Amino acid sequence: MKYTKAGLLIFLLIPSLVSAQTENIDTSAMNQIRKEGLQHSKVMDIAFHLTDESGPRLTSSPGFMRAANYAKNQLAQWGLTNAKLDPWGGFGKSWELEKSYVALTAPWYKSLEAYPKAWTMGTIGQQNAEVILIAAKDSAGLDEYKGKLKGKILIMDSDDSYKLSFKPDARRYLDVELDSMKNIELKPTDTAEMRMRREQYRSRYIGQQKLMNSLKSMAVNEGAVAMFTSSSRNHDGTIFVQQAGPYKITDPANFLDIALQWEDYMMIVRLLKNNVTVKMDVEVKTKFFTVDTVGYNVIAEIPGTDKNLKDEVVMLGGHLDSWQGGTGATDNGAGSMVMMEAVRILRAIGIQPRRTIRIALWSGEEEGLLGSRGYVKKTFADPADMKLLPAHQKFDVYFNLDNGTGKIRGVYLQGNEAVRPILQQWLVPFNDLGAKTLTISNTGGTDHLSFDAVGLPGFQFIQDPLEYDSRNHHSNMDVSEHLQEEDLKQAAVIIAGFVYDAAMRDEKLPRKELPKANPNGRGY
């Protein structure tokens, strides 16, 4: 493309002209939001109901449904409309742990902290069984164990080792780290080196999965009792635990796979390597639910009031489902309670939004963003064919929170540079609360990606990491004691402010170029 000198000058000035455009920030509304959210917060009350009272929230489980119904009813009590459990599609079997007891009984007694993985079968009452060490490195290596597994408990040999770390479990972002985020440039995501690394990882993962699947099949066929798995991450009382296998209605119950603390795990391995007989008591009772195999999101609205804009939608949300080791307080009870608190704040100060504000608490995020993907597909577009539904044009923006309990420090722009000058001004009323940073980069693995996949603006907030990765994420330590009340208040206030700004703005936020259809249907 060629430019005249005058045209080139105008082109070069576009960034400064855009950044000079002033957003109409309602200072009075921002002050009301801050006062309500910081001085009259209900976020910890919401937290109690979503975590301690509801329990673990594995998708479609009784705990999830307790939390979802509480949220739906509470949102309606606050005056939101159309509060409902909204089906997004078929999920599969629900699962719940009803009893778990694990203990070492020989060569001496010790009760053990252990967590059965989701969608596993249980035992037939309490079993006392000998433990056998499986040293196979691949499926072929399992041949020597054939015919030896009946009535046994299995444990995999490991050459992993615990490495002492001098890093603190919890931390906040330093100014220098936030500054580096501001200056980051978008980099290619599909280079030859990246493809090679992905293929190497995929090859190792497939090999490991093939070994485990073969061992579990042998264990079921021969009548083994259970197996224990672990990694060096599971130290100092923190145990990371997720699922043991598939959960579709046609899938059989998975062989009993129990996550064990690393220190106990390696003690058992050492005993067996030294030819010491090890016996254990194991009693696990699980329950599957197959009557309703549909997945549900929680949806509610504050209706828009502007005759020209009320059909346009501003959304905020986080995923309500969790894993079963803890009560999902930081992943992602924190995001759900903050989003509920944000709409409570807006209702409490009596705003009359021009656009409709819609909150969504998703399910199935932990299994692959299933709830948000299902909602986006039926409401806006399917990334597989990109045939846009009418609501696609009426959509404005989606804000997501799903990186733990840490306070908001800014926003990931998801490659959408055009929104930078707008969000920069939206952050100004909250700069004193520590939120100043905008980065062009993206954080992956959560529900804003479902919107981005069909060309809709979707953003995740930068949050202080605290102990999210070291202790909380998918572990038995993901409980309410690890919630940070002041950080949650701050996050709710900022999100309420952003939602208000978007709902009242004359124009919708700028969009990126519409993505091409993606035959795999995921779009990310």
Side-chain angles (χ1 to χ4, degrees), residues 97 99-103 111-117 227-229 234 237 239-241 257-262 264 268 280-284 324-325 476:
L97 178 64
K99 184 176 183 179
S100 177
Y101 168 66
V102 177
S111 61
L112 301 177
E113 188 169 11
Y115 292 84
K117 296 181 182 179
M227 71 182 302
F228 288 94
T229 51
N234 294 346
I239 301 176
F240 298 89
V241 55
D257 184 348
I258 304 174
L260 191 63
Q261 182 172 252
W262 185 246
D264 292 331
I268 294 170
M280 300 180 74
D281 277 343
V282 177
E283 183 176 8
V284 173
Q324 74 278 12
N476 62 323

PDB file of all heavy atoms in Angstrom, residues 97 99-103 111-117 227-229 234 237 239-241 257-262 264 268 280-284 324-325 476:
ATOM      1  N   LEU A  97     -17.344 -38.939  45.736  1.00  0.00           N
ATOM      2  CA  LEU A  97     -16.629 -39.786  46.694  1.00  0.00           C
ATOM      3  C   LEU A  97     -17.422 -39.824  47.988  1.00  0.00           C
ATOM      4  O   LEU A  97     -17.718 -38.785  48.576  1.00  0.00           O
ATOM      5  CB  LEU A  97     -15.228 -39.226  46.941  1.00  0.00           C
ATOM      6  CG  LEU A  97     -14.362 -39.957  47.962  1.00  0.00           C
ATOM      7  CD1 LEU A  97     -14.055 -41.380  47.485  1.00  0.00           C
ATOM      8  CD2 LEU A  97     -13.068 -39.179  48.215  1.00  0.00           C
ATOM      9  N   LYS A  99     -16.613 -42.334  50.624  1.00  0.00           N
ATOM     10  CA  LYS A  99     -15.777 -42.778  51.737  1.00  0.00           C
ATOM     11  C   LYS A  99     -14.384 -43.092  51.217  1.00  0.00           C
ATOM     12  O   LYS A  99     -14.224 -43.613  50.113  1.00  0.00           O
ATOM     13  CB  LYS A  99     -16.363 -44.026  52.416  1.00  0.00           C
ATOM     14  CG  LYS A  99     -15.593 -44.473  53.648  1.00  0.00           C
ATOM     15  CD  LYS A  99     -16.275 -45.646  54.345  1.00  0.00           C
ATOM     16  CE  LYS A  99     -15.531 -46.037  55.614  1.00  0.00           C
ATOM     17  NZ  LYS A  99     -16.203 -47.166  56.318  1.00  0.00           N
ATOM     18  N   SER A 100     -13.376 -42.781  52.038  1.00  0.00           N
ATOM     19  CA  SER A 100     -12.007 -43.112  51.664  1.00  0.00           C
ATOM     20  C   SER A 100     -11.170 -43.317  52.922  1.00  0.00           C
ATOM     21  O   SER A 100     -11.094 -42.436  53.772  1.00  0.00           O
ATOM     22  CB  SER A 100     -11.399 -41.989  50.811  1.00  0.00           C
ATOM     23  OG  SER A 100     -10.055 -42.272  50.492  1.00  0.00           O
ATOM     24  N   TYR A 101     -10.566 -44.492  53.027  1.00  0.00           N
ATOM     25  CA  TYR A 101      -9.670 -44.792  54.139  1.00  0.00           C
ATOM     26  C   TYR A 101      -8.466 -45.549  53.579  1.00  0.00           C
ATOM     27  O   TYR A 101      -8.610 -46.576  52.894  1.00  0.00           O
ATOM     28  CB  TYR A 101     -10.367 -45.648  55.199  1.00  0.00           C
ATOM     29  CG  TYR A 101      -9.414 -46.231  56.231  1.00  0.00           C
ATOM     30  CD1 TYR A 101      -8.732 -45.405  57.121  1.00  0.00           C
ATOM     31  CD2 TYR A 101      -9.186 -47.597  56.289  1.00  0.00           C
ATOM     32  CE1 TYR A 101      -7.851 -45.939  58.049  1.00  0.00           C
ATOM     33  CE2 TYR A 101      -8.311 -48.148  57.224  1.00  0.00           C
ATOM     34  CZ  TYR A 101      -7.642 -47.308  58.090  1.00  0.00           C
ATOM     35  OH  TYR A 101      -6.760 -47.825  59.016  1.00  0.00           O
ATOM     36  N   VAL A 102      -7.282 -45.046  53.849  1.00  0.00           N
ATOM     37  CA  VAL A 102      -6.049 -45.668  53.368  1.00  0.00           C
ATOM     38  C   VAL A 102      -5.038 -45.673  54.514  1.00  0.00           C
ATOM     39  O   VAL A 102      -4.823 -44.655  55.169  1.00  0.00           O
ATOM     40  CB  VAL A 102      -5.463 -44.900  52.163  1.00  0.00           C
ATOM     41  CG1 VAL A 102      -4.144 -45.532  51.727  1.00  0.00           C
ATOM     42  CG2 VAL A 102      -6.448 -44.860  51.006  1.00  0.00           C
ATOM     43  N   ALA A 103      -4.428 -46.830  54.745  1.00  0.00           N
ATOM     44  CA  ALA A 103      -3.438 -46.922  55.829  1.00  0.00           C
ATOM     45  C   ALA A 103      -2.389 -47.971  55.487  1.00  0.00           C
ATOM     46  O   ALA A 103      -2.681 -48.991  54.849  1.00  0.00           O
ATOM     47  CB  ALA A 103      -4.106 -47.276  57.147  1.00  0.00           C
ATOM     48  N   SER A 111      -1.567 -44.155  59.249  1.00  0.00           N
ATOM     49  CA  SER A 111      -2.672 -43.668  58.425  1.00  0.00           C
ATOM     50  C   SER A 111      -2.095 -42.730  57.371  1.00  0.00           C
ATOM     51  O   SER A 111      -1.149 -41.985  57.641  1.00  0.00           O
ATOM     52  CB  SER A 111      -3.714 -42.932  59.268  1.00  0.00           C
ATOM     53  OG  SER A 111      -3.147 -41.808  59.893  1.00  0.00           O
ATOM     54  N   LEU A 112      -2.633 -42.775  56.156  1.00  0.00           N
ATOM     55  CA  LEU A 112      -2.073 -42.029  55.032  1.00  0.00           C
ATOM     56  C   LEU A 112      -3.095 -41.050  54.470  1.00  0.00           C
ATOM     57  O   LEU A 112      -4.293 -41.356  54.393  1.00  0.00           O
ATOM     58  CB  LEU A 112      -1.636 -42.990  53.920  1.00  0.00           C
ATOM     59  CG  LEU A 112      -0.589 -44.035  54.305  1.00  0.00           C
ATOM     60  CD1 LEU A 112      -0.319 -44.963  53.137  1.00  0.00           C
ATOM     61  CD2 LEU A 112       0.702 -43.376  54.773  1.00  0.00           C
ATOM     62  N   GLU A 113      -2.592 -39.887  54.081  1.00  0.00           N
ATOM     63  CA  GLU A 113      -3.457 -38.923  53.398  1.00  0.00           C
ATOM     64  C   GLU A 113      -3.426 -39.251  51.909  1.00  0.00           C
ATOM     65  O   GLU A 113      -2.362 -39.209  51.273  1.00  0.00           O
ATOM     66  CB  GLU A 113      -2.973 -37.492  53.636  1.00  0.00           C
ATOM     67  CG  GLU A 113      -3.947 -36.454  53.123  1.00  0.00           C
ATOM     68  CD  GLU A 113      -3.614 -35.056  53.594  1.00  0.00           C
ATOM     69  OE1 GLU A 113      -2.506 -34.861  54.150  1.00  0.00           O
ATOM     70  OE2 GLU A 113      -4.453 -34.162  53.401  1.00  0.00           O
ATOM     71  N   ALA A 114      -4.579 -39.589  51.373  1.00  0.00           N
ATOM     72  CA  ALA A 114      -4.665 -40.047  49.989  1.00  0.00           C
ATOM     73  C   ALA A 114      -6.017 -39.654  49.418  1.00  0.00           C
ATOM     74  O   ALA A 114      -7.010 -39.574  50.154  1.00  0.00           O
ATOM     75  CB  ALA A 114      -4.479 -41.561  49.925  1.00  0.00           C
ATOM     76  N   TYR A 115      -6.062 -39.430  48.088  1.00  0.00           N
ATOM     77  CA  TYR A 115      -7.282 -38.935  47.452  1.00  0.00           C
ATOM     78  C   TYR A 115      -7.590 -39.735  46.190  1.00  0.00           C
ATOM     79  O   TYR A 115      -6.835 -39.672  45.216  1.00  0.00           O
ATOM     80  CB  TYR A 115      -7.133 -37.449  47.099  1.00  0.00           C
ATOM     81  CG  TYR A 115      -7.066 -36.570  48.322  1.00  0.00           C
ATOM     82  CD1 TYR A 115      -5.859 -36.376  48.990  1.00  0.00           C
ATOM     83  CD2 TYR A 115      -8.205 -35.963  48.832  1.00  0.00           C
ATOM     84  CE1 TYR A 115      -5.786 -35.590  50.127  1.00  0.00           C
ATOM     85  CE2 TYR A 115      -8.144 -35.181  49.974  1.00  0.00           C
ATOM     86  CZ  TYR A 115      -6.937 -34.993  50.608  1.00  0.00           C
ATOM     87  OH  TYR A 115      -6.874 -34.221  51.746  1.00  0.00           O
ATOM     88  N   PRO A 116      -8.679 -40.500  46.177  1.00  0.00           N
ATOM     89  CA  PRO A 116      -9.081 -41.191  44.947  1.00  0.00           C
ATOM     90  C   PRO A 116      -9.350 -40.197  43.824  1.00  0.00           C
ATOM     91  O   PRO A 116      -9.903 -39.120  44.048  1.00  0.00           O
ATOM     92  CB  PRO A 116     -10.365 -41.914  45.361  1.00  0.00           C
ATOM     93  CG  PRO A 116     -10.256 -42.073  46.850  1.00  0.00           C
ATOM     94  CD  PRO A 116      -9.550 -40.833  47.312  1.00  0.00           C
ATOM     95  N   LYS A 117      -8.941 -40.548  42.626  1.00  0.00           N
ATOM     96  CA  LYS A 117      -9.160 -39.691  41.474  1.00  0.00           C
ATOM     97  C   LYS A 117     -10.606 -39.824  40.992  1.00  0.00           C
ATOM     98  O   LYS A 117     -11.275 -40.835  41.239  1.00  0.00           O
ATOM     99  CB  LYS A 117      -8.176 -40.042  40.363  1.00  0.00           C
ATOM    100  CG  LYS A 117      -6.726 -39.788  40.766  1.00  0.00           C
ATOM    101  CD  LYS A 117      -5.758 -40.118  39.642  1.00  0.00           C
ATOM    102  CE  LYS A 117      -4.318 -39.903  40.097  1.00  0.00           C
ATOM    103  NZ  LYS A 117      -3.344 -40.247  39.032  1.00  0.00           N
ATOM    104  N   MET A 227      -4.504 -48.932  42.720  1.00  0.00           N
ATOM    105  CA  MET A 227      -3.145 -48.513  42.433  1.00  0.00           C
ATOM    106  C   MET A 227      -2.909 -47.125  43.022  1.00  0.00           C
ATOM    107  O   MET A 227      -3.853 -46.343  43.204  1.00  0.00           O
ATOM    108  CB  MET A 227      -2.858 -48.510  40.929  1.00  0.00           C
ATOM    109  CG  MET A 227      -3.546 -47.416  40.141  1.00  0.00           C
ATOM    110  SD  MET A 227      -3.181 -47.526  38.360  1.00  0.00           S
ATOM    111  CE  MET A 227      -1.394 -47.406  38.360  1.00  0.00           C
ATOM    112  N   PHE A 228      -1.649 -46.839  43.346  1.00  0.00           N
ATOM    113  CA  PHE A 228      -1.268 -45.526  43.861  1.00  0.00           C
ATOM    114  C   PHE A 228      -0.367 -44.833  42.857  1.00  0.00           C
ATOM    115  O   PHE A 228       0.528 -45.449  42.268  1.00  0.00           O
ATOM    116  CB  PHE A 228      -0.551 -45.660  45.208  1.00  0.00           C
ATOM    117  CG  PHE A 228      -1.470 -46.036  46.322  1.00  0.00           C
ATOM    118  CD1 PHE A 228      -1.642 -47.363  46.677  1.00  0.00           C
ATOM    119  CD2 PHE A 228      -2.182 -45.071  47.014  1.00  0.00           C
ATOM    120  CE1 PHE A 228      -2.499 -47.719  47.703  1.00  0.00           C
ATOM    121  CE2 PHE A 228      -3.044 -45.416  48.041  1.00  0.00           C
ATOM    122  CZ  PHE A 228      -3.207 -46.743  48.384  1.00  0.00           C
ATOM    123  N   THR A 229      -0.612 -43.551  42.657  1.00  0.00           N
ATOM    124  CA  THR A 229       0.227 -42.738  41.786  1.00  0.00           C
ATOM    125  C   THR A 229       0.573 -41.443  42.510  1.00  0.00           C
ATOM    126  O   THR A 229      -0.145 -41.011  43.412  1.00  0.00           O
ATOM    127  CB  THR A 229      -0.491 -42.420  40.457  1.00  0.00           C
ATOM    128  OG1 THR A 229      -1.790 -41.891  40.735  1.00  0.00           O
ATOM    129  CG2 THR A 229      -0.626 -43.655  39.589  1.00  0.00           C
ATOM    130  N   ASN A 234       3.711 -33.495  44.924  1.00  0.00           N
ATOM    131  CA  ASN A 234       2.807 -33.791  46.039  1.00  0.00           C
ATOM    132  C   ASN A 234       3.541 -33.858  47.374  1.00  0.00           C
ATOM    133  O   ASN A 234       3.521 -34.872  48.056  1.00  0.00           O
ATOM    134  CB  ASN A 234       2.089 -35.121  45.790  1.00  0.00           C
ATOM    135  CG  ASN A 234       1.152 -35.064  44.614  1.00  0.00           C
ATOM    136  OD1 ASN A 234       0.830 -33.986  44.116  1.00  0.00           O
ATOM    137  ND2 ASN A 234       0.699 -36.209  44.149  1.00  0.00           N
ATOM    138  N   GLY A 237       2.316 -32.254  52.382  1.00  0.00           N
ATOM    139  CA  GLY A 237       0.876 -32.284  52.647  1.00  0.00           C
ATOM    140  C   GLY A 237      -0.006 -31.823  51.516  1.00  0.00           C
ATOM    141  O   GLY A 237      -1.232 -31.929  51.608  1.00  0.00           O
ATOM    142  N   ILE A 239      -1.456 -32.383  47.901  1.00  0.00           N
ATOM    143  CA  ILE A 239      -1.640 -33.478  46.942  1.00  0.00           C
ATOM    144  C   ILE A 239      -2.498 -32.973  45.793  1.00  0.00           C
ATOM    145  O   ILE A 239      -3.640 -32.539  45.994  1.00  0.00           O
ATOM    146  CB  ILE A 239      -2.298 -34.702  47.605  1.00  0.00           C
ATOM    147  CG1 ILE A 239      -1.434 -35.192  48.770  1.00  0.00           C
ATOM    148  CG2 ILE A 239      -2.524 -35.811  46.588  1.00  0.00           C
ATOM    149  CD1 ILE A 239      -2.051 -36.341  49.556  1.00  0.00           C
ATOM    150  N   PHE A 240      -1.947 -33.040  44.589  1.00  0.00           N
ATOM    151  CA  PHE A 240      -2.677 -32.616  43.392  1.00  0.00           C
ATOM    152  C   PHE A 240      -3.427 -33.825  42.840  1.00  0.00           C
ATOM    153  O   PHE A 240      -2.840 -34.875  42.603  1.00  0.00           O
ATOM    154  CB  PHE A 240      -1.707 -32.050  42.356  1.00  0.00           C
ATOM    155  CG  PHE A 240      -0.989 -30.823  42.847  1.00  0.00           C
ATOM    156  CD1 PHE A 240       0.212 -30.935  43.542  1.00  0.00           C
ATOM    157  CD2 PHE A 240      -1.507 -29.562  42.636  1.00  0.00           C
ATOM    158  CE1 PHE A 240       0.879 -29.809  44.010  1.00  0.00           C
ATOM    159  CE2 PHE A 240      -0.848 -28.425  43.101  1.00  0.00           C
ATOM    160  CZ  PHE A 240       0.343 -28.546  43.782  1.00  0.00           C
ATOM    161  N   VAL A 241      -4.736 -33.654  42.640  1.00  0.00           N
ATOM    162  CA  VAL A 241      -5.552 -34.803  42.245  1.00  0.00           C
ATOM    163  C   VAL A 241      -6.629 -34.370  41.265  1.00  0.00           C
ATOM    164  O   VAL A 241      -7.340 -33.389  41.497  1.00  0.00           O
ATOM    165  CB  VAL A 241      -6.170 -35.490  43.486  1.00  0.00           C
ATOM    166  CG1 VAL A 241      -6.959 -34.508  44.350  1.00  0.00           C
ATOM    167  CG2 VAL A 241      -7.052 -36.665  43.099  1.00  0.00           C
ATOM    168  N   ASP A 257      -7.662 -45.506  41.207  1.00  0.00           N
ATOM    169  CA  ASP A 257      -6.357 -44.845  41.137  1.00  0.00           C
ATOM    170  C   ASP A 257      -6.355 -43.764  42.217  1.00  0.00           C
ATOM    171  O   ASP A 257      -7.185 -42.865  42.211  1.00  0.00           O
ATOM    172  CB  ASP A 257      -6.185 -44.246  39.735  1.00  0.00           C
ATOM    173  CG  ASP A 257      -4.811 -43.616  39.517  1.00  0.00           C
ATOM    174  OD1 ASP A 257      -4.073 -43.441  40.498  1.00  0.00           O
ATOM    175  OD2 ASP A 257      -4.495 -43.281  38.357  1.00  0.00           O
ATOM    176  N   ILE A 258      -5.403 -43.863  43.147  1.00  0.00           N
ATOM    177  CA  ILE A 258      -5.392 -42.998  44.322  1.00  0.00           C
ATOM    178  C   ILE A 258      -4.116 -42.166  44.344  1.00  0.00           C
ATOM    179  O   ILE A 258      -3.006 -42.706  44.243  1.00  0.00           O
ATOM    180  CB  ILE A 258      -5.501 -43.832  45.611  1.00  0.00           C
ATOM    181  CG1 ILE A 258      -6.765 -44.713  45.584  1.00  0.00           C
ATOM    182  CG2 ILE A 258      -5.510 -42.931  46.838  1.00  0.00           C
ATOM    183  CD1 ILE A 258      -6.876 -45.665  46.750  1.00  0.00           C
ATOM    184  N   ALA A 259      -4.273 -40.847  44.487  1.00  0.00           N
ATOM    185  CA  ALA A 259      -3.127 -39.938  44.587  1.00  0.00           C
ATOM    186  C   ALA A 259      -2.614 -39.930  46.023  1.00  0.00           C
ATOM    187  O   ALA A 259      -3.376 -39.775  46.970  1.00  0.00           O
ATOM    188  CB  ALA A 259      -3.529 -38.530  44.155  1.00  0.00           C
ATOM    189  N   LEU A 260      -1.315 -40.088  46.183  1.00  0.00           N
ATOM    190  CA  LEU A 260      -0.702 -40.235  47.502  1.00  0.00           C
ATOM    191  C   LEU A 260       0.373 -39.160  47.679  1.00  0.00           C
ATOM    192  O   LEU A 260       1.035 -38.735  46.730  1.00  0.00           O
ATOM    193  CB  LEU A 260      -0.063 -41.623  47.609  1.00  0.00           C
ATOM    194  CG  LEU A 260       0.416 -42.111  48.973  1.00  0.00           C
ATOM    195  CD1 LEU A 260      -0.753 -42.241  49.935  1.00  0.00           C
ATOM    196  CD2 LEU A 260       1.128 -43.460  48.816  1.00  0.00           C
ATOM    197  N   GLN A 261       0.556 -38.731  48.919  1.00  0.00           N
ATOM    198  CA  GLN A 261       1.621 -37.778  49.233  1.00  0.00           C
ATOM    199  C   GLN A 261       2.977 -38.374  48.856  1.00  0.00           C
ATOM    200  O   GLN A 261       3.240 -39.553  49.088  1.00  0.00           O
ATOM    201  CB  GLN A 261       1.577 -37.427  50.715  1.00  0.00           C
ATOM    202  CG  GLN A 261       2.604 -36.420  51.150  1.00  0.00           C
ATOM    203  CD  GLN A 261       2.384 -35.963  52.575  1.00  0.00           C
ATOM    204  OE1 GLN A 261       1.963 -34.838  52.814  1.00  0.00           O
ATOM    205  NE2 GLN A 261       2.654 -36.839  53.531  1.00  0.00           N
ATOM    206  N   TRP A 262       3.850 -37.539  48.292  1.00  0.00           N
ATOM    207  CA  TRP A 262       5.125 -38.019  47.750  1.00  0.00           C
ATOM    208  C   TRP A 262       6.014 -38.668  48.809  1.00  0.00           C
ATOM    209  O   TRP A 262       6.631 -39.711  48.554  1.00  0.00           O
ATOM    210  CB  TRP A 262       5.866 -36.854  47.105  1.00  0.00           C
ATOM    211  CG  TRP A 262       7.133 -37.236  46.420  1.00  0.00           C
ATOM    212  CD1 TRP A 262       8.398 -36.876  46.769  1.00  0.00           C
ATOM    213  CD2 TRP A 262       7.263 -38.049  45.254  1.00  0.00           C
ATOM    214  NE1 TRP A 262       9.321 -37.411  45.893  1.00  0.00           N
ATOM    215  CE2 TRP A 262       8.644 -38.142  44.953  1.00  0.00           C
ATOM    216  CE3 TRP A 262       6.356 -38.721  44.440  1.00  0.00           C
ATOM    217  CZ2 TRP A 262       9.131 -38.868  43.863  1.00  0.00           C
ATOM    218  CZ3 TRP A 262       6.837 -39.446  43.351  1.00  0.00           C
ATOM    219  CH2 TRP A 262       8.206 -39.519  43.082  1.00  0.00           C
ATOM    220  N   ASP A 264       5.191 -40.324  51.487  1.00  0.00           N
ATOM    221  CA  ASP A 264       4.694 -41.668  51.792  1.00  0.00           C
ATOM    222  C   ASP A 264       4.881 -42.599  50.599  1.00  0.00           C
ATOM    223  O   ASP A 264       5.220 -43.778  50.755  1.00  0.00           O
ATOM    224  CB  ASP A 264       3.215 -41.600  52.174  1.00  0.00           C
ATOM    225  CG  ASP A 264       2.989 -40.904  53.497  1.00  0.00           C
ATOM    226  OD1 ASP A 264       3.876 -40.960  54.362  1.00  0.00           O
ATOM    227  OD2 ASP A 264       1.923 -40.277  53.663  1.00  0.00           O
ATOM    228  N   ILE A 268       7.185 -46.162  50.520  1.00  0.00           N
ATOM    229  CA  ILE A 268       6.682 -47.482  50.119  1.00  0.00           C
ATOM    230  C   ILE A 268       7.554 -48.056  49.006  1.00  0.00           C
ATOM    231  O   ILE A 268       7.902 -49.245  49.013  1.00  0.00           O
ATOM    232  CB  ILE A 268       5.209 -47.371  49.678  1.00  0.00           C
ATOM    233  CG1 ILE A 268       4.331 -46.989  50.871  1.00  0.00           C
ATOM    234  CG2 ILE A 268       4.738 -48.671  49.048  1.00  0.00           C
ATOM    235  CD1 ILE A 268       2.910 -46.623  50.497  1.00  0.00           C
ATOM    236  N   MET A 280      -1.375 -52.867  53.008  1.00  0.00           N
ATOM    237  CA  MET A 280      -2.170 -51.660  53.232  1.00  0.00           C
ATOM    238  C   MET A 280      -3.644 -52.002  53.369  1.00  0.00           C
ATOM    239  O   MET A 280      -4.132 -52.968  52.787  1.00  0.00           O
ATOM    240  CB  MET A 280      -1.992 -50.678  52.057  1.00  0.00           C
ATOM    241  CG  MET A 280      -0.567 -50.214  51.846  1.00  0.00           C
ATOM    242  SD  MET A 280      -0.398 -49.071  50.453  1.00  0.00           S
ATOM    243  CE  MET A 280      -1.119 -47.602  51.183  1.00  0.00           C
ATOM    244  N   ASP A 281      -4.322 -51.188  54.160  1.00  0.00           N
ATOM    245  CA  ASP A 281      -5.792 -51.190  54.202  1.00  0.00           C
ATOM    246  C   ASP A 281      -6.296 -50.131  53.233  1.00  0.00           C
ATOM    247  O   ASP A 281      -5.813 -48.990  53.246  1.00  0.00           O
ATOM    248  CB  ASP A 281      -6.306 -50.837  55.606  1.00  0.00           C
ATOM    249  CG  ASP A 281      -6.323 -52.023  56.539  1.00  0.00           C
ATOM    250  OD1 ASP A 281      -6.247 -53.173  56.053  1.00  0.00           O
ATOM    251  OD2 ASP A 281      -6.412 -51.795  57.764  1.00  0.00           O
ATOM    252  N   VAL A 282      -7.246 -50.521  52.418  1.00  0.00           N
ATOM    253  CA  VAL A 282      -7.872 -49.570  51.501  1.00  0.00           C
ATOM    254  C   VAL A 282      -9.379 -49.809  51.496  1.00  0.00           C
ATOM    255  O   VAL A 282      -9.825 -50.947  51.297  1.00  0.00           O
ATOM    256  CB  VAL A 282      -7.331 -49.707  50.053  1.00  0.00           C
ATOM    257  CG1 VAL A 282      -8.069 -48.746  49.117  1.00  0.00           C
ATOM    258  CG2 VAL A 282      -5.841 -49.447  49.999  1.00  0.00           C
ATOM    259  N   GLU A 283     -10.133 -48.750  51.759  1.00  0.00           N
ATOM    260  CA  GLU A 283     -11.586 -48.812  51.594  1.00  0.00           C
ATOM    261  C   GLU A 283     -12.044 -47.510  50.940  1.00  0.00           C
ATOM    262  O   GLU A 283     -11.863 -46.428  51.488  1.00  0.00           O
ATOM    263  CB  GLU A 283     -12.311 -48.990  52.923  1.00  0.00           C
ATOM    264  CG  GLU A 283     -13.828 -49.122  52.746  1.00  0.00           C
ATOM    265  CD  GLU A 283     -14.575 -49.387  54.038  1.00  0.00           C
ATOM    266  OE1 GLU A 283     -13.944 -49.314  55.117  1.00  0.00           O
ATOM    267  OE2 GLU A 283     -15.789 -49.657  53.965  1.00  0.00           O
ATOM    268  N   VAL A 284     -12.612 -47.659  49.756  1.00  0.00           N
ATOM    269  CA  VAL A 284     -13.102 -46.503  48.999  1.00  0.00           C
ATOM    270  C   VAL A 284     -14.511 -46.812  48.503  1.00  0.00           C
ATOM    271  O   VAL A 284     -14.765 -47.885  47.948  1.00  0.00           O
ATOM    272  CB  VAL A 284     -12.180 -46.181  47.804  1.00  0.00           C
ATOM    273  CG1 VAL A 284     -12.798 -45.095  46.919  1.00  0.00           C
ATOM    274  CG2 VAL A 284     -10.802 -45.753  48.294  1.00  0.00           C
ATOM    275  N   GLN A 324     -11.903 -32.513  43.074  1.00  0.00           N
ATOM    276  CA  GLN A 324     -12.493 -33.056  44.295  1.00  0.00           C
ATOM    277  C   GLN A 324     -11.568 -33.078  45.505  1.00  0.00           C
ATOM    278  O   GLN A 324     -12.003 -33.407  46.608  1.00  0.00           O
ATOM    279  CB  GLN A 324     -13.003 -34.482  44.029  1.00  0.00           C
ATOM    280  CG  GLN A 324     -11.922 -35.555  43.914  1.00  0.00           C
ATOM    281  CD  GLN A 324     -11.274 -35.616  42.539  1.00  0.00           C
ATOM    282  OE1 GLN A 324     -11.459 -34.737  41.711  1.00  0.00           O
ATOM    283  NE2 GLN A 324     -10.507 -36.665  42.305  1.00  0.00           N
ATOM    284  N   GLY A 325     -10.288 -32.710  45.339  1.00  0.00           N
ATOM    285  CA  GLY A 325      -9.369 -32.793  46.470  1.00  0.00           C
ATOM    286  C   GLY A 325      -9.680 -31.801  47.573  1.00  0.00           C
ATOM    287  O   GLY A 325      -9.540 -32.099  48.755  1.00  0.00           O
ATOM    288  N   ASN A 476      -5.566 -30.628  47.254  1.00  0.00           N
ATOM    289  CA  ASN A 476      -6.337 -30.707  48.497  1.00  0.00           C
ATOM    290  C   ASN A 476      -6.214 -29.436  49.329  1.00  0.00           C
ATOM    291  O   ASN A 476      -6.932 -29.259  50.312  1.00  0.00           O
ATOM    292  CB  ASN A 476      -5.883 -31.910  49.321  1.00  0.00           C
ATOM    293  CG  ASN A 476      -4.422 -31.808  49.744  1.00  0.00           C
ATOM    294  OD1 ASN A 476      -3.573 -31.325  48.995  1.00  0.00           O
ATOM    295  ND2 ASN A 476      -4.110 -32.290  50.934  1.00  0.00           N
TER     296      ASN A 476
END
